[in-house]
Amino acid sequence: MVFSSLLFLFRFLPITFLIYYLVPFRAKNTVLFLASLFFYTWGETKFFPIMLISIGINYVAGLLMERYDHNEKASKACFWVAFLVTLGFLLFFKYTNFFLSNINALLGLSLPLLDSAEFHLPLGISFYTYQILAYTMDVYRRKIKVEHNLIDFGAFVVLFPQLIAGPIVLYSDISRELKSRKITLAQIDEGVGLFIMGLASKILLADTIGALWTEVQTLGFSQVSTPLAWMGIIAYSFQIYFDFSGYSLMAIGLGRMLGFFFPQNFNYPYISKSITEFWRRWHITLSSWFRDYVYIPLGGNRVKKSRQFFNIFVVWFLTGFWHGAAWNFIFWGLYFFVLLMIEKIWLLPHLKKGKVWPHIYTMLLVIVGWALFVGSDKGVSLGLLLQKLFVPSGGVSPLYFLRNYGALLIVGILCATPLPQKLYEKFKTNTLMRGLVLALIFVVTIAYMVDATNSPFLYFRF
C-alpha cells in the first residue's frame, strides 16, 4: 500500500484515523501499532516475520542491557547479538547476490545466487533496520532509557507514515510523544496541508517530469543525442527529488496529524552553492544517522587529518552501499567523497565568495552524480549514458521533448526553490484562501491519480 493510491487515501486513512481519534489515549499506540502492521503486511506479507523478529530481539536486548547495566560483558553480549541479527537480515537480503556474483566473477566460480522471486528485498528494511539499530546503540551507550512497553516500542518501529521510506526517526525524537502527546485541530490542519503538498509533489511533479526520463530510457541511449541525454538526466534529477521529498513531506504531515513531530528530511537542496551544503539539505536524517552512528564513533574530526579523511571515506562508502547492492552506488558514494574532500581542502572558501557560478557548479556535479546513481536501473547502460553526456554525438533531437516538457521543467525549477513556500506563507493566515488552494491542489492531484497508472515511490527499492 502506498500513500499515492486511492486505496490508502479513501479507505485505510479515514478508517485508521477515525478509530485513532475515537479511542482513549492509552489505546492510541495499540491502534497505531496494529494499523501499521496491517499497512506493512498489505504489501509485504512474506517477510513480515523478519520485522517481528527484529522488534522482539531488540526489545528484549534493551531490557537485558538495563538489567545487566553493571555487568559490561553481559551488556555488550546482549548488544552484539541484537546488532548482528538485525543487521544480518539487511545484509542477507540486500547484499548476498552482490557478493556471490562478484566472487563468481573474480574467482571464476559458479556459486548459485538467491532466487530473486523468493528472496527480494523486504519492503522498508533499510529504513526500519537503521531505526532499530540506533535505538539499541543508544541504549547500550546509555543515551536513552529502555522502552519497557512492547506496544510502544513496536509502534515506534512500524509507525506507518515513515515505515517504508523515512524520514529515519530516532527513538529519542519521539519517545516523549509515545508516552504523552496532544492532538489539536491546528496540528491536524497543518498536517493535512503538509500531506496534500507532498502528494502533489509526487503526483503532479515527480511522476509527470519523470515521464520524460522514461521516454528517453525507452528510446535507448544509443539512439538519443547528447542534448536529449542531458534533458533526460535532468528530468530524473527532478523526479527523484520531488518523489522522495514528497514522500517525506507526506510522512511528516501524517505524523503531525497523529501527534508526532518528525524531523525535516529535505531543505531545498537544489539551491545549494556547494556539494557540502547540498548534503546538509538532502536526506538530512540519513546524513545525521551516519554522522552520529558511524563518523563520530570512528573519531569524527577529533583525530589527525589522515584519520579524519578515512572516517569520511568510510561514511561515503557506506552511504553509497546503503542505497543499493551494485557498483554504481559505491561509485556514486565515492564520487561525492572526492568532491567533498576537494571542497574541504581547497574549494569551499572560494565557493562561499561566489554568487551565481557556485550554484551552476553544484547542480552540474549533482546531476552527474544522478547519472551514476541511475546506472544500474533496468535498461540503463552506465557507460553509454556517461558517453552520451560527455562525448557530443547525434541522435534523436530534443526539440520534440522540449515542446512537450519545457514548461514542466521550468515549473520544476521554480518548485525546487523556496518561492512557492513564500507565496504560500503570504495567504497562509487567510483560512478560506488556504483551504480553497489546498482543496484545488488535492482535487487536481486525485484527478491525475485516477487517470494514470499508480507509480511507486523510487526509494521503496532502497
Side-chain angles (χ1 to χ4, degrees):
M1 196 183 306
V2 297
F3 295 167
S4 56
S5 68
L6 299 177
L7 174 66
F8 177 82
L9 290 174
F10 297 108
R11 293 189 182 181
F12 176 84
L13 204 57
I15 293 172
T16 299
F17 274 78
L18 179 63
I19 298 172
Y20 180 79
Y21 290 142
L22 287 177
V23 300
F25 179 79
R26 64 180 180 275
K28 287 190 186 301
N29 285 349
T30 301
V31 171
L32 199 53
F33 181 54
L34 294 176
S36 298
L37 291 179
F38 177 81
F39 174 85
Y40 185 80
T41 54
W42 186 271
E44 190 63 278
T45 306
K46 183 187 298 184
F47 297 121
F48 175 61
I50 301 298
M51 174 186 284
L52 293 184
I53 293 171
S54 296
I55 291 173
I57 196 168
N58 284 273
Y59 171 74
V60 172
L63 296 177
L64 291 175
M65 283 188 283
E66 181 184 53
R67 180 177 180 180
Y68 296 112
D69 183 56
H70 300 294
N71 186 334
E72 184 60 27
K73 286 186 177 180
S75 181
K76 183 179 289 188
C78 294
F79 164 75
W80 279 111
V81 169
F83 183 89
L84 293 175
V85 171
T86 306
L87 187 62
F89 284 137
L90 177 64
L91 294 176
F92 176 78
F93 287 105
K94 194 168 185 175
Y95 300 105
T96 297
N97 280 348
F98 173 80
F99 288 121
L100 288 176
S101 59
N102 278 278
I103 290 171
N104 286 343
L106 186 64
L107 302 178
L109 301 177
S110 300
L111 299 174
L113 302 183
L114 298 179
D115 184 351
S116 58
E118 293 292 325
F119 294 97
H120 64 269
L121 185 65
L123 197 61
I125 191 171
S126 296
F127 289 91
Y128 73 71
T129 294
Y130 273 31
Q131 290 188 181
I132 296 175
L133 290 179
Y135 166 82
T136 304
M137 285 188 276
D138 284 348
V139 169
Y140 177 68
R141 296 189 296 187
R142 299 171 178 83
K143 290 183 64 177
I144 60 173
K145 293 182 178 180
V146 174
E147 177 55 70
H148 288 258
N149 189 308
L150 179 58
I151 296 296
D152 290 357
F153 181 71
F156 151 68
V157 175
V158 301
L159 203 58
F160 76 85
Q162 48 79 66
L163 171 62
I164 307 300
I168 296 173
V169 177
L170 304 182
Y171 178 79
S172 56
D173 292 331
I174 62 170
S175 57
R176 183 176 300 175
E177 291 155 3
L178 282 169
K179 301 300 181 184
S180 175
R181 56 187 179 273
K182 291 183 178 180
I183 305 171
T184 64
L185 287 176
Q187 240 176 265
I188 295 171
D189 180 64
E190 184 182 3
V192 169
L194 292 171
F195 181 84
I196 291 174
M197 298 304 288
L199 183 64
S201 178
K202 160 64 177 172
I203 302 298
L204 303 183
L205 293 174
D207 288 355
T208 52
I209 295 176
L212 170 56
W213 169 246
T214 301
E215 288 196 45
V216 172
Q217 279 185 288
T218 303
L219 280 172
F221 292 101
S222 60
Q223 304 298 318
V224 303
S225 62
T226 293
L228 183 54
W230 275 102
M231 274 189 67
I233 200 62
I234 288 171
Y236 179 79
S237 302
F238 282 118
Q239 180 189 12
I240 195 168
Y241 168 62
F242 290 121
D243 188 279
F244 193 19
S245 64
Y247 182 97
S248 295
L249 200 57
M250 281 188 274
I252 292 169
L254 289 171
R256 198 69 51 89
M257 287 185 267
L258 294 168
F260 295 94
F261 289 81
F262 297 156
Q264 183 182 26
N265 211 23
F266 288 87
N267 184 23
Y268 304 106
Y270 287 167
I271 67 170
S272 302
K273 295 175 65 177
S274 67
I275 299 300
T276 302
E277 183 184 356
F278 174 82
W279 280 106
R280 290 184 185 136
R281 294 173 175 269
W282 178 279
H283 205 346
I284 298 168
T285 57
L286 180 67
S287 299
S288 299
W289 196 97
F290 276 111
R291 179 197 65 208
D292 295 340
Y293 298 100
V294 178
Y295 181 66
I296 292 177
L298 285 174
N301 56 6
R302 305 183 307 277
V303 293
K304 59 183 181 180
K305 283 291 182 183
S306 58
R307 177 55 192 251
Q308 184 186 0
F309 291 165
F310 173 77
N311 294 344
I312 298 172
F313 169 83
V314 170
V315 165
W316 283 98
F317 176 87
L318 293 177
T319 299
F321 209 30
W322 177 87
H323 281 85
W327 282 105
N328 68 294
F329 292 113
I330 295 175
F331 296 149
W332 176 77
L334 296 182
Y335 166 80
F336 280 109
F337 161 73
V338 172
L339 295 178
L340 289 166
M341 288 301 93
I342 292 173
E343 289 187 358
K344 188 177 183 65
I345 294 170
W346 166 68
L347 189 57
L348 200 56
H350 303 286
L351 291 169
K352 290 179 178 178
K353 295 176 183 177
K355 292 186 177 180
V356 177
W357 74 268
H359 292 291
I360 299 173
Y361 148 88
T362 302
M363 278 309 303
L364 178 63
L365 292 179
V366 167
I367 290 169
V368 172
W370 290 130
L372 291 173
F373 188 86
V374 81
S376 63
D377 274 18
K378 187 177 181 180
V380 178
S381 168
L382 179 58
L384 183 58
L385 173 58
L386 293 177
Q387 179 183 330
K388 281 290 180 177
L389 292 176
F390 294 106
V391 179
S393 58
V396 177
S397 170
L399 293 179
Y400 167 79
F401 298 93
L402 195 58
R403 286 196 300 269
N404 287 352
Y405 293 96
L408 194 56
L409 289 172
I410 292 172
V411 171
I413 292 170
L414 293 175
C415 290
T417 72
L419 179 61
Q421 180 64 28
K422 290 179 179 178
L423 294 175
Y424 179 71
E425 292 292 337
K426 286 187 176 181
F427 62 80
K428 188 177 179 181
T429 53
N430 187 324
T431 306
L432 178 61
M433 180 64 71
R434 176 180 175 274
L436 289 173
V437 170
L438 289 175
L440 177 62
I441 292 173
F442 184 70
V443 169
V444 172
T445 303
I446 296 300
Y448 267 79
M449 289 172 60
V450 171
D451 190 50
T453 303
N454 181 53
S455 175
F457 290 89
L458 296 178
Y459 259 71
F460 276 17
R461 60 194 177 94
F462 302 130

